[in-house]
Amino acid sequence: IIRNFKGRSEAKLQRILEKSPERVEPRCPIFARCSGCQYQHLSYEAQLFWKREHVQQAFSRIAKIDVTVEATVPSPKVYHYRTKLTPHPQEPPPRRQRLAWQQGGEASVDYSALGFLEQDWGDARDASGRRWRKVVDVRSCPIA
């Protein structure tokens, strides 16, 4: 467990003891680092199920609304179906973070990167202790 909140915790996967039959090898070589998609390690049928399930949970658990969410409508394409992406450029950190990084942490940042934020928040922290996420440079995306 890496972070605790009032109603939930966040954890980092250490290892897979037994693979689910729904688990597949992600097509994207940077899937484990990139935050652009979260379901690529699941079969397409499982992706559709879990997308619907997450919406259902958001209504019932978070919004406290009792609704029935219809099944997710599948795309005719399993890959290259996304028509909208929001890539991020790697920007220099704000002044407070630059001051905290003067110890050499900033040297590991590639300011030419264009892509999506890293899955993990990383170890770099600003002067107030907040973590900093770098941008994963995405050359091509199998779902875009």
Side-chain angles (χ1 to χ4, degrees), residues 1-15 120 125 131:
I1 295 178
I2 57 173
R3 288 175 37 170
N4 288 308
F5 298 92
K6 183 178 178 183
R8 65 184 174 88
S9 295
E10 290 180 358
K12 184 170 176 120
L13 178 67
Q14 296 295 313
R15 67 178 191 256
D120 293 332
R125 294 185 180 267
R131 290 181 291 168

Side-chain angles (χ1 to χ4, degrees), residues 50-61:
W50 283 107
K51 288 176 182 180
R52 181 202 164 277
E53 185 66 19
H54 287 145
V55 172
Q56 181 74 51
Q57 287 178 16
F59 277 114
S60 63
R61 188 175 48 84

Side-chain angles (χ1 to χ4, degrees), residues 23-38:
R23 189 174 192 88
V24 297
E25 192 64 34
R27 184 178 282 188
C28 181
I30 59 173
F31 171 76
R33 290 183 47 224
C34 179
S35 66
C37 60
Q38 292 79 34

